[in-house]
Amino acid sequence: MSPLPFLILLLISLPFQVISQNHSTADEHTILLKLKQQLGNPPSLQSWNSTSSPCDWPEIVCTGNSVTEILLPSKNITQKIPATICDLKNLTTLNLGDNFISGEFPRQLYNCTKLQVLNLSLNHFVGPIPDDIDRISGLRFLRLGYNNFSGDIPPAIGRLSE
Ligand SMILES: *[C@@H]1O[C@H](CO)[C@@H](O)[C@H](O)[C@H]1NC(C)=O
Ligand SMILES: *[C@@H]1O[C@H](CO)[C@@H](O)[C@H](O)[C@H]1NC(C)=O
Ligand SMILES: *[C@@H]1O[C@H](CO)[C@@H](O)[C@H](O)[C@H]1NC(C)=O
Ligand SMILES: *[C@@H]1O[C@H](CO)[C@@H](O)[C@H](O)[C@H]1NC(C)=O
Ligand SMILES: *[C@@H]1O[C@H](CO)[C@@H](O)[C@H](O)[C@H]1NC(C)=O
Ligand SMILES: *[C@@H]1O[C@H](CO)[C@@H](O)[C@H](O)[C@H]1NC(C)=O
Ligand SMILES: *[C@@H]1O[C@H](CO)[C@@H](O)[C@H](O)[C@H]1NC(C)=O
């Protein structure tokens, strides 16, 4: 077989590879802008716009072009945590400490399959610490202090193996 068809195939597929390489970043940009909107466009997130790259935003940490950390301590956030956040498939760290978030423990975070660090301290959360919290199986740092959680510490805490 002559190498020519291969060469042609390579030349055709190259541009697609270049486009698809940062396709996920474009997706994550869209997800973050949606997230900002769902959080009620807090003035503290002014730098989150469509022209700047998310990896350059002070509240975002990227690893290999993909969003891995969202750091939003003391941002005057009042809205509940949108389920959209788990569309960021590589998210490992979420810090929402020192905000004004109310309601029950955000079980929607169970869909953040790579989550390792969760800081919800200093908010207005109420109700029980869920008895299936170990569904965030990779969790290794959990901060829930200074809220209004009630009830016992569930055995599920002890099943978090990390
Ligand atoms: C991919 O990145 C390049 C350079 O960083 C940029 O010019 C291009 O618009 C990006 N493409 C997409 C689909 O985001
Ligand atoms: C949060 O709100 C308070 C009171 O309105 C304001 O002084 C403070 O600058 C705000 N913080 C941020 C990060 O926007
Ligand atoms: C977008 O945000 C960046 C900082 O992240 C800022 O420098 C730039 O001026 C903003 N652009 C617009 C159109 O608001
Ligand atoms: C998550 O990270 C992996 C490895 O760094 C990468 O291959 C993948 O594209 C990332 N996923 C997204 C949605 O960016
Ligand atoms: C968790 O959030 C609280 C409140 O912002 C902060 O004091 C603390 O340092 C945070 N801990 C970590 C490890 O991020
Ligand atoms: C996780 O995502 C799936 C699919 O989007 C959804 O059906 C499910 O309710 C979510 N689970 C939680 C705990 O939010
Ligand atoms: C904490 O929550 C309990 C119910 O779960 C409620 O009775 C109590 O008033 C709350 N306390 C504060 C300070 O919000």
Side-chain angles (χ1 to χ4, degrees), residues 113-145:
T113 50
K114 290 194 181 168
L115 199 63
Q116 296 177 9
V117 177
L118 179 60
N119 189 347
L120 298 176
S121 70
L122 267 164
N123 278 285
H124 299 315
F125 287 106
V126 295
I129 297 169
D131 60 9
D132 58 352
I133 195 171
D134 56 325
R135 281 172 59 186
I136 316 177
S137 56
L139 205 58
R140 53 183 185 80
F141 181 100
L142 177 64
R143 200 151 169 165
L144 299 175

PDB file of all heavy atoms in Angstrom, residues 113-145:
ATOM      1  N   THR A 113     -17.795  13.441  40.537  1.00  0.00           N
ATOM      2  CA  THR A 113     -17.202  12.145  40.869  1.00  0.00           C
ATOM      3  C   THR A 113     -15.739  12.221  41.292  1.00  0.00           C
ATOM      4  O   THR A 113     -15.234  11.291  41.903  1.00  0.00           O
ATOM      5  CB  THR A 113     -17.338  11.176  39.685  1.00  0.00           C
ATOM      6  OG1 THR A 113     -16.868  11.838  38.506  1.00  0.00           O
ATOM      7  CG2 THR A 113     -18.789  10.780  39.480  1.00  0.00           C
ATOM      8  N   LYS A 114     -15.064  13.320  40.960  1.00  0.00           N
ATOM      9  CA  LYS A 114     -13.642  13.414  41.328  1.00  0.00           C
ATOM     10  C   LYS A 114     -13.401  14.320  42.536  1.00  0.00           C
ATOM     11  O   LYS A 114     -12.259  14.617  42.876  1.00  0.00           O
ATOM     12  CB  LYS A 114     -12.824  13.922  40.138  1.00  0.00           C
ATOM     13  CG  LYS A 114     -12.726  12.914  39.012  1.00  0.00           C
ATOM     14  CD  LYS A 114     -11.647  13.300  38.021  1.00  0.00           C
ATOM     15  CE  LYS A 114     -11.558  12.305  36.887  1.00  0.00           C
ATOM     16  NZ  LYS A 114     -10.715  12.805  35.781  1.00  0.00           N
ATOM     17  N   LEU A 115     -14.480  14.752  43.187  1.00  0.00           N
ATOM     18  CA  LEU A 115     -14.341  15.707  44.286  1.00  0.00           C
ATOM     19  C   LEU A 115     -13.546  15.131  45.462  1.00  0.00           C
ATOM     20  O   LEU A 115     -13.834  14.038  45.939  1.00  0.00           O
ATOM     21  CB  LEU A 115     -15.729  16.148  44.763  1.00  0.00           C
ATOM     22  CG  LEU A 115     -15.780  17.438  45.564  1.00  0.00           C
ATOM     23  CD1 LEU A 115     -15.311  18.620  44.731  1.00  0.00           C
ATOM     24  CD2 LEU A 115     -17.194  17.700  46.069  1.00  0.00           C
ATOM     25  N   GLN A 116     -12.545  15.870  45.904  1.00  0.00           N
ATOM     26  CA  GLN A 116     -11.696  15.427  47.015  1.00  0.00           C
ATOM     27  C   GLN A 116     -11.737  16.390  48.197  1.00  0.00           C
ATOM     28  O   GLN A 116     -11.595  15.990  49.341  1.00  0.00           O
ATOM     29  CB  GLN A 116     -10.233  15.317  46.548  1.00  0.00           C
ATOM     30  CG  GLN A 116      -9.995  14.269  45.491  1.00  0.00           C
ATOM     31  CD  GLN A 116      -8.546  14.249  45.022  1.00  0.00           C
ATOM     32  OE1 GLN A 116      -7.689  14.906  45.594  1.00  0.00           O
ATOM     33  NE2 GLN A 116      -8.285  13.503  43.979  1.00  0.00           N
ATOM     34  N   VAL A 117     -11.892  17.671  47.884  1.00  0.00           N
ATOM     35  CA  VAL A 117     -11.848  18.697  48.919  1.00  0.00           C
ATOM     36  C   VAL A 117     -13.129  19.528  48.858  1.00  0.00           C
ATOM     37  O   VAL A 117     -13.455  20.080  47.810  1.00  0.00           O
ATOM     38  CB  VAL A 117     -10.621  19.626  48.712  1.00  0.00           C
ATOM     39  CG1 VAL A 117     -10.616  20.750  49.739  1.00  0.00           C
ATOM     40  CG2 VAL A 117      -9.323  18.832  48.789  1.00  0.00           C
ATOM     41  N   LEU A 118     -13.861  19.551  49.972  1.00  0.00           N
ATOM     42  CA  LEU A 118     -15.113  20.313  50.007  1.00  0.00           C
ATOM     43  C   LEU A 118     -15.154  21.167  51.260  1.00  0.00           C
ATOM     44  O   LEU A 118     -15.111  20.660  52.378  1.00  0.00           O
ATOM     45  CB  LEU A 118     -16.314  19.350  49.968  1.00  0.00           C
ATOM     46  CG  LEU A 118     -17.698  19.986  50.032  1.00  0.00           C
ATOM     47  CD1 LEU A 118     -17.926  20.942  48.868  1.00  0.00           C
ATOM     48  CD2 LEU A 118     -18.787  18.912  50.062  1.00  0.00           C
ATOM     49  N   ASN A 119     -15.230  22.459  51.066  1.00  0.00           N
ATOM     50  CA  ASN A 119     -15.285  23.392  52.190  1.00  0.00           C
ATOM     51  C   ASN A 119     -16.598  24.171  52.140  1.00  0.00           C
ATOM     52  O   ASN A 119     -16.800  24.998  51.259  1.00  0.00           O
ATOM     53  CB  ASN A 119     -14.084  24.354  52.115  1.00  0.00           C
ATOM     54  CG  ASN A 119     -13.959  25.205  53.368  1.00  0.00           C
ATOM     55  OD1 ASN A 119     -14.892  25.251  54.191  1.00  0.00           O
ATOM     56  ND2 ASN A 119     -12.842  25.899  53.506  1.00  0.00           N
ATOM     57  N   LEU A 120     -17.479  23.865  53.083  1.00  0.00           N
ATOM     58  CA  LEU A 120     -18.774  24.551  53.152  1.00  0.00           C
ATOM     59  C   LEU A 120     -18.898  25.323  54.453  1.00  0.00           C
ATOM     60  O   LEU A 120     -19.992  25.750  54.842  1.00  0.00           O
ATOM     61  CB  LEU A 120     -19.921  23.526  53.067  1.00  0.00           C
ATOM     62  CG  LEU A 120     -20.032  22.680  51.794  1.00  0.00           C
ATOM     63  CD1 LEU A 120     -21.167  21.661  51.945  1.00  0.00           C
ATOM     64  CD2 LEU A 120     -20.268  23.541  50.569  1.00  0.00           C
ATOM     65  N   SER A 121     -17.783  25.518  55.135  1.00  0.00           N
ATOM     66  CA  SER A 121     -17.852  26.136  56.456  1.00  0.00           C
ATOM     67  C   SER A 121     -18.347  27.579  56.391  1.00  0.00           C
ATOM     68  O   SER A 121     -18.277  28.229  55.350  1.00  0.00           O
ATOM     69  CB  SER A 121     -16.481  26.080  57.137  1.00  0.00           C
ATOM     70  OG  SER A 121     -15.572  26.951  56.509  1.00  0.00           O
ATOM     71  N   LEU A 122     -18.888  28.056  57.511  1.00  0.00           N
ATOM     72  CA  LEU A 122     -19.379  29.431  57.616  1.00  0.00           C
ATOM     73  C   LEU A 122     -20.444  29.776  56.576  1.00  0.00           C
ATOM     74  O   LEU A 122     -20.292  30.687  55.771  1.00  0.00           O
ATOM     75  CB  LEU A 122     -18.206  30.415  57.480  1.00  0.00           C
ATOM     76  CG  LEU A 122     -17.552  30.857  58.779  1.00  0.00           C
ATOM     77  CD1 LEU A 122     -16.194  31.496  58.502  1.00  0.00           C
ATOM     78  CD2 LEU A 122     -18.447  31.848  59.515  1.00  0.00           C
ATOM     79  N   ASN A 123     -21.516  28.977  56.568  1.00  0.00           N
ATOM     80  CA  ASN A 123     -22.690  29.277  55.739  1.00  0.00           C
ATOM     81  C   ASN A 123     -23.936  29.084  56.595  1.00  0.00           C
ATOM     82  O   ASN A 123     -23.839  29.047  57.827  1.00  0.00           O
ATOM     83  CB  ASN A 123     -22.701  28.358  54.506  1.00  0.00           C
ATOM     84  CG  ASN A 123     -21.795  28.874  53.390  1.00  0.00           C
ATOM     85  OD1 ASN A 123     -22.141  29.824  52.705  1.00  0.00           O
ATOM     86  ND2 ASN A 123     -20.636  28.247  53.220  1.00  0.00           N
ATOM     87  N   HIS A 124     -25.091  28.968  55.949  1.00  0.00           N
ATOM     88  CA  HIS A 124     -26.334  28.817  56.720  1.00  0.00           C
ATOM     89  C   HIS A 124     -27.001  27.475  56.458  1.00  0.00           C
ATOM     90  O   HIS A 124     -28.221  27.375  56.402  1.00  0.00           O
ATOM     91  CB  HIS A 124     -27.312  29.953  56.388  1.00  0.00           C
ATOM     92  CG  HIS A 124     -26.799  31.319  56.721  1.00  0.00           C
ATOM     93  ND1 HIS A 124     -26.180  31.603  57.920  1.00  0.00           N
ATOM     94  CD2 HIS A 124     -26.801  32.480  56.028  1.00  0.00           C
ATOM     95  CE1 HIS A 124     -25.834  32.894  57.940  1.00  0.00           C
ATOM     96  NE2 HIS A 124     -26.185  33.446  56.785  1.00  0.00           N
ATOM     97  N   PHE A 125     -26.196  26.437  56.230  1.00  0.00           N
ATOM     98  CA  PHE A 125     -26.778  25.126  55.940  1.00  0.00           C
ATOM     99  C   PHE A 125     -27.511  24.579  57.164  1.00  0.00           C
ATOM    100  O   PHE A 125     -27.090  24.802  58.298  1.00  0.00           O
ATOM    101  CB  PHE A 125     -25.689  24.143  55.510  1.00  0.00           C
ATOM    102  CG  PHE A 125     -25.161  24.400  54.129  1.00  0.00           C
ATOM    103  CD1 PHE A 125     -23.904  24.955  53.948  1.00  0.00           C
ATOM    104  CD2 PHE A 125     -25.926  24.105  53.001  1.00  0.00           C
ATOM    105  CE1 PHE A 125     -23.409  25.202  52.669  1.00  0.00           C
ATOM    106  CE2 PHE A 125     -25.449  24.354  51.718  1.00  0.00           C
ATOM    107  CZ  PHE A 125     -24.192  24.901  51.549  1.00  0.00           C
ATOM    108  N   VAL A 126     -28.610  23.870  56.906  1.00  0.00           N
ATOM    109  CA  VAL A 126     -29.402  23.266  57.976  1.00  0.00           C
ATOM    110  C   VAL A 126     -29.670  21.791  57.657  1.00  0.00           C
ATOM    111  O   VAL A 126     -29.341  21.313  56.571  1.00  0.00           O
ATOM    112  CB  VAL A 126     -30.764  23.984  58.159  1.00  0.00           C
ATOM    113  CG1 VAL A 126     -30.575  25.419  58.621  1.00  0.00           C
ATOM    114  CG2 VAL A 126     -31.588  23.923  56.864  1.00  0.00           C
ATOM    115  N   GLY A 127     -30.298  21.113  58.595  1.00  0.00           N
ATOM    116  CA  GLY A 127     -30.696  19.725  58.378  1.00  0.00           C
ATOM    117  C   GLY A 127     -29.562  18.756  58.656  1.00  0.00           C
ATOM    118  O   GLY A 127     -28.500  19.146  59.135  1.00  0.00           O
ATOM    119  N   PRO A 128     -29.811  17.479  58.372  1.00  0.00           N
ATOM    120  CA  PRO A 128     -28.824  16.462  58.712  1.00  0.00           C
ATOM    121  C   PRO A 128     -27.620  16.445  57.771  1.00  0.00           C
ATOM    122  O   PRO A 128     -27.721  16.898  56.635  1.00  0.00           O
ATOM    123  CB  PRO A 128     -29.604  15.150  58.570  1.00  0.00           C
ATOM    124  CG  PRO A 128     -30.642  15.449  57.539  1.00  0.00           C
ATOM    125  CD  PRO A 128     -31.005  16.913  57.713  1.00  0.00           C
ATOM    126  N   ILE A 129     -26.517  15.920  58.267  1.00  0.00           N
ATOM    127  CA  ILE A 129     -25.404  15.548  57.387  1.00  0.00           C
ATOM    128  C   ILE A 129     -25.850  14.217  56.768  1.00  0.00           C
ATOM    129  O   ILE A 129     -26.175  13.283  57.491  1.00  0.00           O
ATOM    130  CB  ILE A 129     -24.096  15.380  58.185  1.00  0.00           C
ATOM    131  CG1 ILE A 129     -23.720  16.724  58.829  1.00  0.00           C
ATOM    132  CG2 ILE A 129     -22.981  14.866  57.295  1.00  0.00           C
ATOM    133  CD1 ILE A 129     -22.612  16.634  59.857  1.00  0.00           C
ATOM    134  N   PRO A 130     -25.954  14.130  55.443  1.00  0.00           N
ATOM    135  CA  PRO A 130     -26.596  12.968  54.828  1.00  0.00           C
ATOM    136  C   PRO A 130     -25.930  11.637  55.188  1.00  0.00           C
ATOM    137  O   PRO A 130     -24.708  11.565  55.301  1.00  0.00           O
ATOM    138  CB  PRO A 130     -26.477  13.230  53.325  1.00  0.00           C
ATOM    139  CG  PRO A 130     -25.859  14.553  53.146  1.00  0.00           C
ATOM    140  CD  PRO A 130     -25.500  15.117  54.463  1.00  0.00           C
ATOM    141  N   ASP A 131     -26.793  10.614  55.367  1.00  0.00           N
ATOM    142  CA  ASP A 131     -26.260   9.311  55.788  1.00  0.00           C
ATOM    143  C   ASP A 131     -25.647   8.524  54.628  1.00  0.00           C
ATOM    144  O   ASP A 131     -25.233   7.382  54.806  1.00  0.00           O
ATOM    145  CB  ASP A 131     -27.350   8.487  56.485  1.00  0.00           C
ATOM    146  CG  ASP A 131     -28.541   8.217  55.589  1.00  0.00           C
ATOM    147  OD1 ASP A 131     -28.465   8.516  54.364  1.00  0.00           O
ATOM    148  OD2 ASP A 131     -29.562   7.711  56.090  1.00  0.00           O
ATOM    149  N   ASP A 132     -25.613   9.163  53.444  1.00  0.00           N
ATOM    150  CA  ASP A 132     -24.940   8.508  52.313  1.00  0.00           C
ATOM    151  C   ASP A 132     -23.864   9.431  51.721  1.00  0.00           C
ATOM    152  O   ASP A 132     -23.545   9.381  50.543  1.00  0.00           O
ATOM    153  CB  ASP A 132     -25.949   8.112  51.227  1.00  0.00           C
ATOM    154  CG  ASP A 132     -26.743   9.295  50.684  1.00  0.00           C
ATOM    155  OD1 ASP A 132     -26.618  10.413  51.249  1.00  0.00           O
ATOM    156  OD2 ASP A 132     -27.474   9.111  49.697  1.00  0.00           O
ATOM    157  N   ILE A 133     -23.318  10.268  52.612  1.00  0.00           N
ATOM    158  CA  ILE A 133     -22.317  11.244  52.152  1.00  0.00           C
ATOM    159  C   ILE A 133     -21.086  10.550  51.564  1.00  0.00           C
ATOM    160  O   ILE A 133     -20.335  11.134  50.786  1.00  0.00           O
ATOM    161  CB  ILE A 133     -21.916  12.206  53.305  1.00  0.00           C
ATOM    162  CG1 ILE A 133     -21.182  13.434  52.755  1.00  0.00           C
ATOM    163  CG2 ILE A 133     -21.119  11.494  54.374  1.00  0.00           C
ATOM    164  CD1 ILE A 133     -20.948  14.532  53.755  1.00  0.00           C
ATOM    165  N   ASP A 134     -20.907   9.276  51.898  1.00  0.00           N
ATOM    166  CA  ASP A 134     -19.762   8.526  51.362  1.00  0.00           C
ATOM    167  C   ASP A 134     -19.913   8.218  49.872  1.00  0.00           C
ATOM    168  O   ASP A 134     -19.020   7.627  49.269  1.00  0.00           O
ATOM    169  CB  ASP A 134     -19.536   7.237  52.155  1.00  0.00           C
ATOM    170  CG  ASP A 134     -20.762   6.355  52.202  1.00  0.00           C
ATOM    171  OD1 ASP A 134     -21.888   6.887  52.243  1.00  0.00           O
ATOM    172  OD2 ASP A 134     -20.591   5.121  52.192  1.00  0.00           O
ATOM    173  N   ARG A 135     -21.044   8.655  49.287  1.00  0.00           N
ATOM    174  CA  ARG A 135     -21.162   8.525  47.827  1.00  0.00           C
ATOM    175  C   ARG A 135     -20.176   9.445  47.111  1.00  0.00           C
ATOM    176  O   ARG A 135     -19.853   9.238  45.955  1.00  0.00           O
ATOM    177  CB  ARG A 135     -22.599   8.811  47.376  1.00  0.00           C
ATOM    178  CG  ARG A 135     -23.504   7.603  47.630  1.00  0.00           C
ATOM    179  CD  ARG A 135     -24.954   7.901  47.392  1.00  0.00           C
ATOM    180  NE  ARG A 135     -25.255   8.357  46.040  1.00  0.00           N
ATOM    181  CZ  ARG A 135     -26.438   8.791  45.639  1.00  0.00           C
ATOM    182  NH1 ARG A 135     -27.452   8.811  46.497  1.00  0.00           N
ATOM    183  NH2 ARG A 135     -26.632   9.187  44.405  1.00  0.00           N
ATOM    184  N   ILE A 136     -19.686  10.482  47.824  1.00  0.00           N
ATOM    185  CA  ILE A 136     -18.563  11.258  47.279  1.00  0.00           C
ATOM    186  C   ILE A 136     -17.322  10.478  47.711  1.00  0.00           C
ATOM    187  O   ILE A 136     -16.612  10.844  48.651  1.00  0.00           O
ATOM    188  CB  ILE A 136     -18.526  12.706  47.833  1.00  0.00           C
ATOM    189  CG1 ILE A 136     -19.923  13.336  47.840  1.00  0.00           C
ATOM    190  CG2 ILE A 136     -17.574  13.571  47.001  1.00  0.00           C
ATOM    191  CD1 ILE A 136     -19.960  14.729  48.448  1.00  0.00           C
ATOM    192  N   SER A 137     -17.068   9.400  47.034  1.00  0.00           N
ATOM    193  CA  SER A 137     -16.162   8.378  47.573  1.00  0.00           C
ATOM    194  C   SER A 137     -14.708   8.816  47.666  1.00  0.00           C
ATOM    195  O   SER A 137     -13.954   8.296  48.468  1.00  0.00           O
ATOM    196  CB  SER A 137     -16.268   7.101  46.740  1.00  0.00           C
ATOM    197  OG  SER A 137     -16.000   7.396  45.385  1.00  0.00           O
ATOM    198  N   GLY A 138     -14.306   9.794  46.859  1.00  0.00           N
ATOM    199  CA  GLY A 138     -12.903  10.223  46.879  1.00  0.00           C
ATOM    200  C   GLY A 138     -12.634  11.342  47.868  1.00  0.00           C
ATOM    201  O   GLY A 138     -11.510  11.853  47.963  1.00  0.00           O
ATOM    202  N   LEU A 139     -13.661  11.705  48.641  1.00  0.00           N
ATOM    203  CA  LEU A 139     -13.533  12.849  49.548  1.00  0.00           C
ATOM    204  C   LEU A 139     -12.469  12.600  50.601  1.00  0.00           C
ATOM    205  O   LEU A 139     -12.444  11.557  51.242  1.00  0.00           O
ATOM    206  CB  LEU A 139     -14.883  13.094  50.234  1.00  0.00           C
ATOM    207  CG  LEU A 139     -15.185  14.490  50.748  1.00  0.00           C
ATOM    208  CD1 LEU A 139     -15.109  15.515  49.627  1.00  0.00           C
ATOM    209  CD2 LEU A 139     -16.574  14.523  51.378  1.00  0.00           C
ATOM    210  N   ARG A 140     -11.567  13.565  50.749  1.00  0.00           N
ATOM    211  CA  ARG A 140     -10.542  13.392  51.776  1.00  0.00           C
ATOM    212  C   ARG A 140     -10.408  14.614  52.679  1.00  0.00           C
ATOM    213  O   ARG A 140      -9.671  14.603  53.645  1.00  0.00           O
ATOM    214  CB  ARG A 140      -9.197  13.029  51.149  1.00  0.00           C
ATOM    215  CG  ARG A 140      -8.734  13.967  50.077  1.00  0.00           C
ATOM    216  CD  ARG A 140      -7.422  13.509  49.449  1.00  0.00           C
ATOM    217  NE  ARG A 140      -6.967  14.495  48.503  1.00  0.00           N
ATOM    218  CZ  ARG A 140      -6.339  15.614  48.856  1.00  0.00           C
ATOM    219  NH1 ARG A 140      -6.068  15.865  50.105  1.00  0.00           N
ATOM    220  NH2 ARG A 140      -6.002  16.491  47.938  1.00  0.00           N
ATOM    221  N   PHE A 141     -11.155  15.675  52.368  1.00  0.00           N
ATOM    222  CA  PHE A 141     -11.144  16.868  53.220  1.00  0.00           C
ATOM    223  C   PHE A 141     -12.556  17.445  53.205  1.00  0.00           C
ATOM    224  O   PHE A 141     -13.081  17.767  52.145  1.00  0.00           O
ATOM    225  CB  PHE A 141     -10.149  17.889  52.660  1.00  0.00           C
ATOM    226  CG  PHE A 141     -10.044  19.145  53.459  1.00  0.00           C
ATOM    227  CD1 PHE A 141      -9.002  19.342  54.359  1.00  0.00           C
ATOM    228  CD2 PHE A 141     -10.994  20.143  53.321  1.00  0.00           C
ATOM    229  CE1 PHE A 141      -8.917  20.521  55.097  1.00  0.00           C
ATOM    230  CE2 PHE A 141     -10.922  21.310  54.059  1.00  0.00           C
ATOM    231  CZ  PHE A 141      -9.879  21.498  54.948  1.00  0.00           C
ATOM    232  N   LEU A 142     -13.163  17.513  54.375  1.00  0.00           N
ATOM    233  CA  LEU A 142     -14.546  17.989  54.453  1.00  0.00           C
ATOM    234  C   LEU A 142     -14.686  18.970  55.590  1.00  0.00           C
ATOM    235  O   LEU A 142     -14.390  18.648  56.745  1.00  0.00           O
ATOM    236  CB  LEU A 142     -15.488  16.796  54.679  1.00  0.00           C
ATOM    237  CG  LEU A 142     -16.976  17.087  54.865  1.00  0.00           C
ATOM    238  CD1 LEU A 142     -17.569  17.704  53.611  1.00  0.00           C
ATOM    239  CD2 LEU A 142     -17.712  15.808  55.230  1.00  0.00           C
ATOM    240  N   ARG A 143     -15.087  20.176  55.270  1.00  0.00           N
ATOM    241  CA  ARG A 143     -15.222  21.190  56.306  1.00  0.00           C
ATOM    242  C   ARG A 143     -16.678  21.680  56.338  1.00  0.00           C
ATOM    243  O   ARG A 143     -17.177  22.242  55.370  1.00  0.00           O
ATOM    244  CB  ARG A 143     -14.268  22.349  56.015  1.00  0.00           C
ATOM    245  CG  ARG A 143     -14.004  23.170  57.220  1.00  0.00           C
ATOM    246  CD  ARG A 143     -12.632  23.808  57.149  1.00  0.00           C
ATOM    247  NE  ARG A 143     -12.517  24.799  58.196  1.00  0.00           N
ATOM    248  CZ  ARG A 143     -11.388  25.338  58.590  1.00  0.00           C
ATOM    249  NH1 ARG A 143     -10.270  24.981  58.009  1.00  0.00           N
ATOM    250  NH2 ARG A 143     -11.363  26.225  59.540  1.00  0.00           N
ATOM    251  N   LEU A 144     -17.340  21.443  57.471  1.00  0.00           N
ATOM    252  CA  LEU A 144     -18.764  21.784  57.583  1.00  0.00           C
ATOM    253  C   LEU A 144     -19.051  22.718  58.750  1.00  0.00           C
ATOM    254  O   LEU A 144     -20.200  23.054  59.008  1.00  0.00           O
ATOM    255  CB  LEU A 144     -19.594  20.500  57.768  1.00  0.00           C
ATOM    256  CG  LEU A 144     -19.546  19.448  56.653  1.00  0.00           C
ATOM    257  CD1 LEU A 144     -20.329  18.208  57.065  1.00  0.00           C
ATOM    258  CD2 LEU A 144     -20.101  20.016  55.361  1.00  0.00           C
ATOM    259  N   GLY A 145     -18.014  23.143  59.435  1.00  0.00           N
ATOM    260  CA  GLY A 145     -18.189  23.928  60.652  1.00  0.00           C
ATOM    261  C   GLY A 145     -18.897  25.258  60.434  1.00  0.00           C
ATOM    262  O   GLY A 145     -18.993  25.751  59.315  1.00  0.00           O
TER     263      GLY A 145
END
